[in-house]
Amino acid sequence: MLEETAHPGKYRQFLLPLDRIESNRVDLPPNINRYLMRAIDVDLCHGGQALFTYSKLGRFVIIGFINEPNQTNWVGGRVNANEGTVEPRNYTLPAPFGTYLMDKAARVREAIQGISPRQTAKIEQAFRANADRIVGTDFFEAMQADVEMFGSGAFSTQGPPGER
């Protein structure tokens, strides 16, 4: 920030742009597209010797490495401290990070399932009253992607597909 250091050294950042998933793997949570495309979330993550911050802002994830002995497992999203652009490219991530994202989406779904029936009715009423304003938005695109993959199960409050 004060231009006293050329780069953050081992404390690198990784930026991952996200978009809808085109796959229909059965192990995905039925809100995966809404999570990836719309959610805001933060976490402090650790596993083995790895320790990093996780900041999810809509369609972007920012990883801040505190300790990552295998940074070579993260390809394509390294943030340059001095210049750069965000553009489509190929990204390589550790496989456990994909599982982590699915778990985060499932937790959001569980939290939504905990909303009272009265509050759910209010949300549905507001949604219907504003339906014409929602069509064509990023939110609508994320919902549509989940419905295309999971049908009505995208909004089921009866648990994951294997538990219905």
Side-chain angles (χ1 to χ4, degrees):
M1 288 177 42
L2 300 175
E3 298 181 14
E4 294 176 8
T5 305
H7 61 78
K10 69 178 184 176
Y11 304 106
R12 299 276 182 180
Q13 289 187 327
F14 186 90
L15 178 68
L16 178 65
L18 302 171
D19 203 355
R20 69 185 286 167
I21 291 180
E22 300 290 336
S23 169
N24 60 356
R25 291 178 29 192
V26 295
D27 61 336
L28 294 173
N31 66 323
I32 190 67
N33 287 298
R34 284 169 283 167
Y35 180 77
L36 294 178
M37 296 169 65
R38 301 293 302 157
I40 296 173
D41 203 353
V42 295
D43 202 356
L44 180 61
C45 306
H46 62 88
Q49 293 182 343
L51 179 63
F52 58 89
T53 60
Y54 169 86
S55 302
K56 169 121 180 25
L57 307 166
R59 288 184 180 232
F60 293 94
V61 170
I62 302 168
I63 303 294
F65 294 111
I66 299 167
N67 187 48
E68 175 51 90
N70 299 310
Q71 284 193 27
T72 57
N73 291 337
W74 301 78
V75 177
R78 179 185 245 179
V79 175
N80 183 324
N82 301 317
E83 64 181 325
T85 59
V86 177
E87 57 189 25
R89 60 176 63 173
N90 292 321
Y91 296 87
T92 302
L93 310 167
F97 188 71
T99 302
Y100 172 79
L101 289 175
M102 289 189 295
D103 289 347
K104 296 294 276 182
R107 287 183 185 171
V108 168
R109 184 169 186 262
E110 289 169 8
I112 291 171
Q113 289 175 337
I115 295 174
S116 72
R118 182 176 173 208
Q119 187 64 35
T120 299
K122 286 183 179 184
I123 292 168
E124 288 177 11
Q125 180 183 7
F127 184 82
R128 286 189 171 95
N130 294 291
D132 58 329
R133 293 174 43 201
I134 294 170
V135 173
T137 65
D138 200 47
F139 172 71
F140 182 81
E141 184 182 336
M143 280 193 328
Q144 187 175 22
D146 282 337
V147 169
E148 287 171 7
M149 286 177 62
F150 301 102
S152 62
F155 299 101
S156 173
T157 59
Q158 300 173 357
E163 297 177 13
R164 287 188 217 144

